[in-house]
Amino acid sequence: MTRRRHLPDDDDISAFRQALKAAGVRRMATNQADPGKPKRNDDAQQARRQAAVESNTFATTGRTSDGRVEAVRPSEYLEFSVADLPWRTFSQLKRGQMAWQAGLDLHGYTLEEARLELESFLRDATAQGLRCVLVVHGKAWGTTADFPVLKSHTNAWLREWPGVLAFCSAIEIDGGTGAVYILLRKRGQ
């Protein structure tokens, strides 16, 4: 049995639009998620970079390696969890049912800049007590590699970070296999 959908008449549409306008609803400019891409002229970012340059410890200060990593395919689904993470928690993360509280977009960064930004972002998120964050790494191939360089390195770096309990590729609306949800350890755990 098929049910015909009721099509509103012009008066209904007009009344609906007036109600939206009266409620202060504005038309969306884009229909894409905003991962909170950092501003390139951010003072805090510049201060972190300057401190890193002055300390001359680019390769040794981080907790993540900068060596060779296992290449992943552009459309490959990424997932990782610590052994004692409850199945239900990881399942909710994989279905996108945990709201992410902050985001980082790594597009446009060199490999070293991306590593530093990711480390800084994870430290800041942990210090703020955030539980779930989104990192957009993209799926683009590097100019000198035949695999997505940032995606492959992000996969390796997150597995090494002590505060990461789990991560997995995001659902399509948040970037699909070009982004990951990261579940962070609670402070004091």
Side-chain angles (χ1 to χ4, degrees):
M1 178 174 150
T2 60
R3 181 181 237 180
R4 291 191 181 255
R5 191 171 137 200
H6 168 72
L7 297 176
D9 60 9
D10 290 336
D11 292 335
D12 290 341
I13 293 172
S14 177
F16 180 72
R17 287 185 177 151
Q18 288 176 356
L20 288 176
K21 188 174 184 178
V25 176
R26 293 176 286 144
R27 182 177 294 272
M28 291 176 53
T30 64
N31 137 5
Q32 297 177 340
D34 176 13
K37 184 175 181 178
K39 306 279 189 275
R40 292 290 184 169
N41 296 330
D42 182 28
D43 292 338
Q45 177 185 12
Q46 294 299 333
R48 286 192 305 266
R49 284 195 179 151
Q50 186 61 34
V53 168
E54 289 172 1
S55 68
N56 285 328
T57 55
F58 268 110
T60 59
T61 60
R63 296 176 181 232
T64 57
S65 70
D66 53 0
R68 262 182 87 77
V69 298
E70 181 181 336
V72 297
R73 295 182 314 277
S75 60
E76 187 173 337
Y77 185 88
L78 302 179
E79 69 177 19
F80 164 84
S81 72
V82 294
D84 59 344
L85 184 72
W87 175 85
R88 183 176 182 162
T89 303
F90 192 45
S91 181
Q92 288 174 330
L93 184 70
K94 288 168 53 171
R95 290 192 306 259
Q97 294 177 334
M98 292 185 152
W100 49 276
Q101 301 156 303
L104 172 67
D105 188 348
L106 296 176
H107 284 104
Y109 288 112
T110 65
L111 189 59
E112 185 62 23
E113 289 173 338
R115 185 171 69 89
L116 293 172
E117 284 299 317
L118 180 62
E119 289 177 355
S120 176
F121 175 72
L122 292 174
R123 269 194 297 276
D124 292 347
T126 302
Q128 293 173 25
L130 303 182
R131 185 78 166 134
C132 183
V133 295
L134 176 78
V135 171
V136 179
H137 48 66
K139 301 188 268 187
W141 291 14
T143 55
T144 60
D146 58 351
F147 61 93
V149 175
L150 284 180
K151 179 175 183 173
S152 298
H153 279 80
T154 299
N155 182 39
W157 294 334
L158 291 176
R159 291 171 190 269
E160 298 171 355
W161 193 262
V164 172
L165 291 176
F167 69 87
C168 64
S169 291
I171 60 174
E172 283 302 313
I173 198 156
D174 286 333
T177 56
V180 287
Y181 298 125
I182 303 170
L183 182 65
L184 297 172
R185 189 176 305 277
K186 292 179 185 173
R187 280 201 286 195
Q189 264 190 332

